[in-house]
Amino acid sequence: MSRVLVDGGSGLRRFRRPTGVAFLALGGVLSVLPALTPAQAIPAQHDGDHAERHVDDHSDDRSDDHGDDHSDDHGDGTAASVPDGFQDRLAIGNLSEPTALAFAPDGTAFIALKTGVIKAVDYDPSTRQFEPYVTSNDFADLSDQVHNYWDRGLTGITLDPAFGQSGHNYVYVNYSYNRDPRDVAPVVPKWETGQGQYDGCADPAAMPEGGDPAVEGCVVTTRVSRLTATKGPDGWIMTGSEHPLLEAGCMQFQSHVSGDVRIGPDGLLYASAGDGASFDVEDLGQAGNPCGDPNNEGGALRSQDARTGGDDLGLNGAIYRLNPTTGAAPDGSGDNSARLVAYGQRNPWRFTFRPGTAELWSVDVGSSGYEEINRLHTGALSTPVNRGWPCYEGRVGASVRNPAWDAIEVPICEGLYAAGQPAVQAPAFAYRTRGGGLTPGERCESTTGSISGVAFVPPQSNYPRAFRRALFFSDYARTCIWRLGKKADGSPDPRKVSVFAQGASTPVDLMAGPGGDLFYVDYGLNAAGVPQPQAGAIRRITYRDPTPLASIVADRAAAPLSHRYRFSAARSTDPKGRTLRYSWDLDGNGTFETKTGRKPTVRKRFGSARNVLVSV
């Protein structure tokens, strides 16, 4: 089934009442939106760091050349080019700034939007389809608590592994908490709020320059919380109050803030946080030092806090674990040193566990050196590992000194250099942030990089054997997804890397989902790199899927409301080559009352501004 949302301009978008209708193609879903005037366009959110293109960058690096790969485009222009036999399908469309994804055992998708809203979208395994966006639930709204500003926002979500069973209906989240950690009595929201949309900061953090003084900016922290879910007649909803588990880190700058969250095989809750420092210069805390760090221990050096004793231990630039009920450390204490798993990281944006093992695989977004994939066996962990940032950036086999930090000779880095290579853990896999492709002949952007997702395809997938149990990773800036080969024991082999999806639209998260398929989160940017309302999506990469692929295109991109639109499903396909017959729901009532037989077209006039879901 393919759908068209005819939208008359309701909701939170910054639109006036439309005088016409414009179409926004999203693959199987085609949104019909009010046309924007230049004065109504959402402003770009400028970002000087390649790595922050997870959310608010303003360049578009999509590949147009699909070569010998198979592109299952179906009219949306965003489907990735994938190997023969695979299809890149739209699973859920019409999302605004989706950042993270989690699946319940029954296939229900819980989607974190950067604004703080969580969507719950039901799944029908008999049809392999998710319910329409317009009938999905707002499971929770944390927008008052979440600071949606640059990289800040709701960035991580996961479920209790036994979700759906009594006593296990919990959703866990990781987000940038709109609270200044210096306030003794919390003031929430502390900084500008966009009333559920993009928030702001009146005086952004800035380094002293020339005669201009330093600006402390809008300091926040991160929060990991547990939410209770209840199944109602219309789907899952949050009941009761948010149950905060831990607030962690002092985050001064607008990037490298909250990260991911997962339940580990040991039953503990794992979460990550960035360094909260400037991405423009070597940040030692010289922008007013609002976090109160000792001299030469602030900024990015907070990632090395475990090696200093001049202040309380923070969790910047760290992966940590806690009791999923109380938030305490695994030993029952409130000691961050007992929570710490790995530190010395810039932006450990995503992580996952290799199925059937205690191996934690995480990605760390690089500065100007390397994008990293790190491995850690949590079952054998006696002390937390140091990944070396900002003193080192990773390279497979041996981390290398960060030349910018080596040059300024700060004591923390000089001490780490003196300890030698064994003091830091080198990544399992890494590639240069800028310059050169990962594989010969690939058609991925290579002028910059921003590693953004990591996932394993489970053994029950119908993917070919070489793809099952394999590690996949994505790069948001390069708009591609790759696969690592496997060693004889089945573990990822960093010497064998192959491109899997080229031209993948803004993949900010990867996740295995229903049927063992690989899903990715399309954040939803326009050609200028600005996030657009309802332009985000969840995409599904299937293999030899027997389900017919429906597609709708319209005859006009925009026209007066009096126009009689012609919808065509002629680009719909059936993997088995069967003859297709078409039934249409033109008024959004869920009944496919308009039959056109083998004719793949139909006409409809929308004479007034209203929301209608048109489906085929």
Side-chain angles (χ1 to χ4, degrees), residues 163-295:
F163 190 90
Q165 300 177 25
S166 178
H168 293 275
N169 293 327
Y170 298 119
V171 177
Y172 298 89
V173 292
N174 187 357
Y175 62 85
S176 306
Y177 187 26
N178 197 347
R179 178 202 166 191
D180 190 330
R182 298 170 295 179
D183 291 341
V184 176
V187 177
V188 180
K190 174 70 174 185
W191 310 111
E192 287 183 46
T193 174
Q195 297 179 342
Q197 295 297 294
Y198 187 73
D199 300 329
C201 176
D203 296 299
M207 296 292 180
E209 186 176 3
D212 296 329
V215 180
E216 292 186 355
C218 300
V219 181
V220 298
T221 186
T222 68
R223 181 190 252 188
V224 175
S225 293
R226 187 183 76 180
L227 314 176
T228 300
T230 299
K231 186 70 174 287
D234 296 322
W236 291 98
I237 57 171
M238 174 184 165
T239 53
S241 301
E242 176 185 4
H243 177 51
L245 296 172
L246 186 68
E247 294 176 24
C250 181
M251 309 293 181
Q252 181 180 11
F253 281 82
Q254 56 267 47
S255 293
H256 317 159
V257 191
S258 56
D260 214 350
V261 62
R262 292 283 186 275
I263 297 284
D266 53 9
L268 296 171
L269 184 67
Y270 289 70
S272 65
D275 64 9
S278 171
F279 52 74
D280 286 326
V281 299
E282 288 63 58
D283 180 3
L284 292 73
Q286 63 268 43
N289 193 22
C291 297
D293 298 296
N295 187 43

Side-chain angles (χ1 to χ4, degrees), residues 526-547:
N526 66 6
V530 180
Q532 295 296 293
Q534 296 184 308
I538 306 300
R539 300 197 68 90
R540 179 179 193 171
I541 300 180
T542 60
Y543 181 71
R544 293 184 176 173
D545 193 329
T547 308

Side-chain angles (χ1 to χ4, degrees), residues 465-471 484-488 490-493 496:
R465 179 178 298 179
F467 295 79
R468 296 196 297 269
R469 300 181 186 269
L471 182 147
L484 292 186
K486 294 179 289 187
K487 298 179 181 178
S491 63
D493 189 344
K496 301 174 182 177

Side-chain angles (χ1 to χ4, degrees), residues 25-84:
L26 293 172
V29 178
L30 190 66
S31 289
V32 185
L33 303 175
L36 285 171
T37 67
Q40 297 165 311
I42 298 173
Q45 295 135 21
H46 300 290
D47 190 340
D49 182 20
H50 74 97
E52 284 26 82
R53 299 174 62 193
H54 292 300
V55 286
D56 295 322
D57 195 26
H58 45 74
S59 59
D60 184 44
D61 300 317
R62 300 190 179 113
S63 170
D64 293 321
D65 180 12
H66 298 303
D68 296 329
D69 288 335
H70 177 66
S71 176
D72 209 347
D73 196 327
H74 294 275
D76 69 354
T78 61
S81 174
V82 290
D84 240 2

Side-chain angles (χ1 to χ4, degrees), residues 296-346:
N296 287 335
E297 294 183 10
L301 292 167
R302 285 193 292 274
S303 292
Q304 293 292 327
D305 213 15
R307 298 181 55 248
T308 68
D311 59 349
D312 292 337
L313 174 61
L315 294 174
N316 289 59
I319 298 175
Y320 54 93
R321 56 186 173 184
L322 55 153
N323 183 299
T325 302
T326 66
D331 64 3
S333 72
D335 187 354
N336 277 346
S337 65
R339 293 185 175 105
L340 201 58
V341 172
Y343 64 98
Q345 296 159 116
R346 183 174 182 263

